[in-house]
Amino acid sequence: MTTPQGSALRARWAALAPREQTLVLLAAGIVALALAWALLLAPALRTWRQSAAQHSALDAQWSRMQALQAQAEQLKQAARLPQDGAAEQPLRALQSSTSRTLGAAAKLTPLGAQVTVALHNAPAQALAQWLAQVRTTARAVVQQAQLEHAGAGADGAPRWNGTLVLTLPAD
């Protein structure tokens, strides 16, 4: 069965000169190639070009995850080991680390399993070092932090004011 539109198209095609038929076929071929490029080849080529950058980003993310896993394992092992001296009591370890690293820039206020640390003009580098120490030696976890930049000290290093609320592990 032929439709009226199909017959009209065939008649119109037959009425075209051979040169016009060739040009119409050529135009249809160019449109088909453009569609194939836009829908099939260009997206695949774009993905292939971006794959190296994505691979590098995923490698970096994998490295960060491996480092975090190693750190978690280290903390897990530290929690299992029998501890002696100042590390036996988390609060004593926290107090020792605070006086050694932050000195007069920090004041501890223990309240049960939580300790509030008031900071006044604490050097940023010492604060970062102290946080790493108390996480491993006292196994303290920061529950709340309210810090404000206090400008730069005489040495030009940034300083912080504020409070930290730490939770100590249950004995």
Side-chain angles (χ1 to χ4, degrees), residues 132-151:
Q133 286 176 2
V134 299
R135 187 176 63 189
T136 56
T137 60
R139 294 177 297 171
V141 177
V142 177
Q143 293 298 315
Q144 184 178 0
Q146 293 177 331
L147 298 174
E148 292 180 7
H149 188 259

Side-chain angles (χ1 to χ4, degrees), residues 24-49:
V24 168
L25 287 175
L26 182 63
I30 291 173
V31 168
L33 283 174
L35 280 173
W37 174 263
L39 299 176
L40 301 173
L41 298 175
L45 186 60
R46 184 173 43 253
T47 301
W48 180 67
R49 285 181 180 159

Side-chain angles (χ1 to χ4, degrees), residues 15-147:
L16 291 176
R19 183 172 182 206
E20 291 174 333
Q21 287 179 353
T22 303
L23 289 175
V24 168
L25 287 175
L26 182 63
I30 291 173
V31 168
L33 283 174
L35 280 173
W37 174 263
L39 299 176
L40 301 173
L41 298 175
L45 186 60
R46 184 173 43 253
T47 301
W48 180 67
R49 285 181 180 159
Q50 294 172 347
S51 67
Q54 289 176 343
H55 187 70
S56 295
L58 288 173
D59 281 346
Q61 186 178 16
W62 176 255
S63 295
R64 282 192 307 272
M65 290 176 67
Q66 292 288 54
L68 289 173
Q69 181 184 17
Q71 186 179 19
E73 287 297 323
Q74 182 183 21
L75 289 172
K76 198 188 294 185
Q77 289 298 327
R80 284 191 211 138
L81 295 174
Q83 301 189 357
D84 58 347
E88 187 175 33
Q89 296 294 324
L91 182 57
R92 265 191 287 176
L94 180 63
Q95 289 169 335
S96 172
S97 179
T98 303
S99 65
R100 200 173 45 249
T101 309
L102 294 175
K107 181 183 175 215
L108 299 179
T109 308
L111 182 62
Q114 288 190 334
V115 177
T116 301
V117 182
L119 300 171
H120 179 69
N121 211 20
Q125 184 65 30
L127 181 59
Q129 181 182 357
W130 175 79
L131 283 169
Q133 286 176 2
V134 299
R135 187 176 63 189
T136 56
T137 60
R139 294 177 297 171
V141 177
V142 177
Q143 293 298 315
Q144 184 178 0
Q146 293 177 331
L147 298 174

